Amino acid sequence: MSRTTATVAASLPDHWEELVTTALLGTDRRTPPGVAPGPQAPSALLDAAAAATVRRRAGLRPARPAERLRPAPEDPRPALPPAAARRLASLLADRPGASGGGRRGTAPDLMELLPQWLQAANARGYAAPPQALPALLDAARGRTDLRPAALRFAGPRALWLARLNPDWRFALRAAPGGGPSAPDPRDPQDIRRLWHEGLFAERVTLLTALRSRDAAAARALLEETWATERAEDRLMFLDSLRAGLGPDDEDFLERALTDRSRNVRATAAELLSALPASALAARMAVRAAACVAVDRRRDVPAIVVEAPHECDAAMERDGVVAKAPTGRGERSWWLGQLVEAAPLGTWPARLGGRTPQEIVALPVGDGWQGELHAAWCRAAVRQRDAEWSRALLGEPSAPEAGGPGAVSLAERARLLAALGPGERAAWVAGFIETHGLSEAFQLLGVCAVPWAPPLGRAVVDALNIARDAGSYPWSFSGVMGLAERCLAPSEASRLDALLAVPDEPEDAAPGAGGYWSEAFQRLVTTLRLRGAMLAELAAEEPAP
C-alpha cells in the first residue's frame, strides 16, 4: 500500500455496510467518503476494505471450538467383490433418460437396473463401499422407489452422513432408527420417550419398525396415546397394524369402530374383515348370507339375491357406508359392502356345500351377477384367498379371459397376487398366448422377477409375432421395457435370431423394422449385462 493510499484508507470511517454498498454500485457511480472521483477511487475503496477487515477481525473474541465430529459407525457386513463395486459405480454414474422401452438406441438404461442390483446385493448381505454412499444417497433422494433398498444397502453410515447434509435428511425419516434421537430397541423407556416426544414422522417410523419386531408391544404403545391423537394421525397409526395383523388386534380394532373419525372407523372395519374369525366378520357373514341363497326350485339351480332394504346403525358401526356414490343404487352399494366383508368360508355351507369353482359357475338371477362376483373378487383380494382367486379368474384361455368374476384387468391383477409365483406366471403366460400382449401389461407387473421360463417364452413369442405382423412398434414399448428388467438373463441366447432388421409388410408403420431390431438389440444387451451383474455379486459369497 502506498503512503498516499494508506493515508486515504486511514481517513475513511470503518462503515462496513457503506463500503459494501459502494463496491456493489461501483466507484463510477459512488465514491467512498472523503475520496474524490477519479482513477484512485477503486484503489482507495479496496484499501479501506482491507483496513476495515483487519479492524473487524481484531475485535473478535476467539470462539469456543466445536465439538469434534464423532467417527462414522462401523459396518460389520462383508465388502463387495471388486468387480461388483466397479459395477455399482457405473450404475450410479448413469443419468436417467426417457422411460423404459420408449428409448432409442441399443445402450441399456443403467439406472433402471440399479433397483435389481441393490436387491441382489442386499440378499447376499454386502456392505456399501464408503466412497459410493454420497452418490447412492443422491440417487435415493431423486427416486423414492429406490429408498428402502438403497438405505438398507447403505447401512448405518448413511444415517451418519444424512445428519451432516440437509439434502439427505429423507434417510432419517425413512430408515428405522434414523431420527436424531433414535431409541435403543432394547430399552422400553427410550422407546416410550420417543413415542411421546418425537415428531410425527419419527413416531410413524418407530411404530412401523416396532410392529415388525413385536406386534403386541407396538399395539400397546398406540393404545397409550390413542385418545389424544389427531384423527389424521390415528388413521396413519392404525394403518401400520396391517403388518402382522392377527387375532390379538381384534379388541383394539373393535374399540376403533366407535371412533369419531369416519375414515378411522372404515379402516378398522376393513382390518377386522381381513380376520375371518373376528366378531365383525361373523356379523357380516350373517348379514350377507341373509341376502344370498340358492333357488332349488328351478331345473338348473341358480343364485338369488335380495339386497338390503336399509342400512341401520349397527351396519354403519361395522363400516358399511350408508350413502352410495353418485349413479350407484343404494341397495347394490350396501350388498357389495356386506359380501366383501364376509368371510369367504361362509359361502360353501350357505350355497349347498359347493366349491368356490362351482359357486361362481352358478347363474345369478335378476342381473345381480356382476355386483355379487365383483364383491367376491374384493373379498378374495382382501383375505388373500388363493382358492377363490383361482375360481374367479377362471381359465386364461376363456373367450373373455377374465373368468366369471373379474371385471377388469386391474381386478385380475389383484386376484393373481393371491396365487403363488409359479401359478401366477403360468396363468399370465396362458393369457398372452390366447390374447396377446396388448392387455397383458398390468398382469405382467404382478409376476415375480425374473419371469419364469413359460412366461418369458410367451412374452418373447408375442413380441416376435407383433414384429413379423408389422405392428406399430411403439405401442409395445412398455412391455419391452418390462422385459429388459424382468426376463431371465438366460433368455438372451434365444433372442439372437430377432436382432436382424425384418422385411416390412406393405402396411407396416414406417421405420418399424429398424425400431424392432434396435429394441431387441437393447433387450439382449441388457439381459447379458444383468447376467454379468449377478455373476459379479456371486463371485465371492460372504461368510454366514
Side-chain angles (χ1 to χ4, degrees), residues 300-517:
V300 177
I303 294 176
V304 291
V305 174
E306 181 67 26
H309 291 273
E310 64 173 345
C311 180
D312 57 31
M315 289 169 60
E316 289 195 63
R317 179 188 180 276
D318 284 345
V320 177
V321 178
K323 185 175 181 181
T326 303
R328 182 79 178 273
E330 282 186 332
R331 296 183 65 198
S332 66
W333 171 244
W334 299 332
L335 173 73
Q337 294 179 79
L338 294 181
V339 174
E340 177 183 356
L344 289 165
T346 302
W347 302 111
R350 173 63 176 164
L351 302 177
R354 292 175 172 84
T355 65
Q357 288 81 359
E358 292 169 337
I359 290 172
V360 299
L362 289 173
V364 183
D366 299 328
W368 284 104
Q369 178 167 319
E371 184 66 49
L372 182 61
H373 285 187
W376 276 335
C377 283
R378 296 192 298 272
V381 171
R382 180 182 296 186
Q383 297 171 37
R384 300 194 63 82
D385 190 299
E387 187 177 9
W388 273 88
S389 295
R390 196 176 295 118
L392 291 161
L393 279 166
E395 292 298 324
S397 57
E400 296 182 359
V407 296
S408 68
L409 283 171
E411 195 76 50
R412 295 169 206 164
R414 288 191 286 269
L415 288 169
L416 282 167
L419 305 181
E423 186 178 2
R424 201 182 312 163
W427 198 95
V428 178
F431 181 93
I432 292 171
E433 289 169 359
T434 303
H435 303 281
L437 286 170
S438 59
E439 295 187 0
F441 188 78
Q442 284 182 290
L443 307 181
L444 288 169
V446 300
C447 293
V449 177
W451 288 335
L455 178 57
R457 288 192 294 270
V459 171
V460 171
D461 290 345
L463 287 170
N464 190 22
I465 291 170
R467 183 194 70 151
D468 291 344
S471 299
Y472 192 66
W474 293 273
S475 62
F476 295 92
S477 62
V479 175
M480 190 67 78
L482 266 181
E484 292 176 21
R485 298 187 295 274
C486 301
L487 264 178
S490 58
E491 295 289 320
S493 59
R494 294 185 61 245
L495 297 168
D496 287 337
L498 304 178
L499 300 182
V501 178
D503 296 331
E504 295 184 5
E506 293 183 0
D507 57 347
Y515 176 91
W516 280 112
S517 174

